[in-house]
Amino acid sequence: MAERAVSPRPAAEASARGPVDLRRVFRRHAAGVTIVTMAGPRGPVGFTATSVASLSEEPPLVSLALSTRSSLASVLTGASTLVVHLLSAGHDDLAARFARPGADRFAPPTRWRRLPGGEPLLLDAEVWMRCRIRRRTVEGDHHLVIAEILESRVGRADPPLIYHDGSYGTLGPRPGAGPGSGPGSGAVRQAAPPGDGDLGIR
């Protein structure tokens, strides 16, 4: 019986090794874009994140991560609560502003107010969750946070803002798009350079 030749593995399927390859792999993973806000000792703080994930239904838990090198790491380790905002199509500028190092993120045109607990709430987010931090650990070069949802709001059902391969995009027509706009239509803009958020891993 003749032996079958085994084709070599394509270079694109090579195993990932090390942080550079990890970033290359996760650039292929589309993720929802969120902004996490907290009340800091010197005022409101916030960062753009793609690491937020649902963790448990009972009790309702979410998880998120932030680099230990972030300038906001000390605020995160001292906070007891936070607010997670799920962004929608059209929030590209807001996401970029909260990822930009040194930006005054809560200055106009950002619209926000404080919740009764002192946490900053972004008024343009249709979906948000106020959470109490239950656990914090350092895993590798990131803080891993597990938080319990205390209250939430779900407003208008707009298409989500997603982050993929260094750019913002969406899964459906953007708000205000014409009747001929199909899934994925609308401009896709290059993201701002990663800063204090967790977009850097992508």
Side-chain angles (χ1 to χ4, degrees):
M1 180 181 295
E3 293 185 1
R4 289 185 357 183
V6 178
S7 302
R9 246 171 137 193
E13 295 181 7
S15 298
R17 295 177 182 175
V20 174
D21 288 318
L22 179 68
R23 287 193 294 270
R24 181 168 57 86
V25 167
F26 270 87
R27 285 179 71 90
R28 304 289 185 90
H29 176 61
V33 184
T34 71
I35 291 177
V36 179
T37 59
M38 300 169 286
R42 295 187 178 90
V45 299
F47 59 93
T48 303
T50 53
S51 64
V52 175
S54 59
L55 184 62
S56 167
E57 187 174 4
E58 186 56 46
L61 302 177
V62 296
S63 64
L64 61 99
L66 178 67
S67 171
T68 54
R69 296 185 295 270
S70 171
S71 64
L72 303 182
S74 61
V75 179
L76 181 66
T77 57
S80 58
T81 59
L82 52 81
V83 180
V84 177
H85 307 78
L86 277 60
L87 300 190
S88 302
H91 287 160
D92 312 46
D93 288 340
L94 188 62
R97 189 177 315 132
F98 274 77
R100 189 176 302 125
D104 187 355
R105 299 168 185 179
F106 290 88
T110 301
R111 302 189 321 124
W112 67 283
R113 66 174 175 86
R114 290 190 185 275
L115 292 173
E119 307 89 349
L121 176 70
L122 302 180
L123 301 182
D124 291 325
E126 291 293 327
V127 183
W128 57 266
M129 300 170 285
R130 177 175 173 265
C131 307
R132 177 176 60 239
I133 296 174
R134 290 180 50 145
R135 184 176 305 168
R136 276 175 285 242
T137 61
V138 175
E139 303 294 341
D141 57 6
H142 274 63
H143 292 282
L144 176 63
V145 175
I146 297 175
E148 181 177 1
I149 302 171
L150 302 177
E151 60 179 306
S152 63
R153 176 188 184 274
V154 178
R156 189 176 60 240
D158 289 337
L161 184 67
I162 61 172
Y163 188 71
H164 176 255
D165 200 20
S167 297
Y168 293 122
T170 188
L171 294 176
R174 290 178 175 250
S181 301
S185 62
V188 175
R189 292 185 11 188
Q190 189 70 21
D196 281 331
D198 74 332
L199 296 178
I201 199 170
R202 304 183 190 284

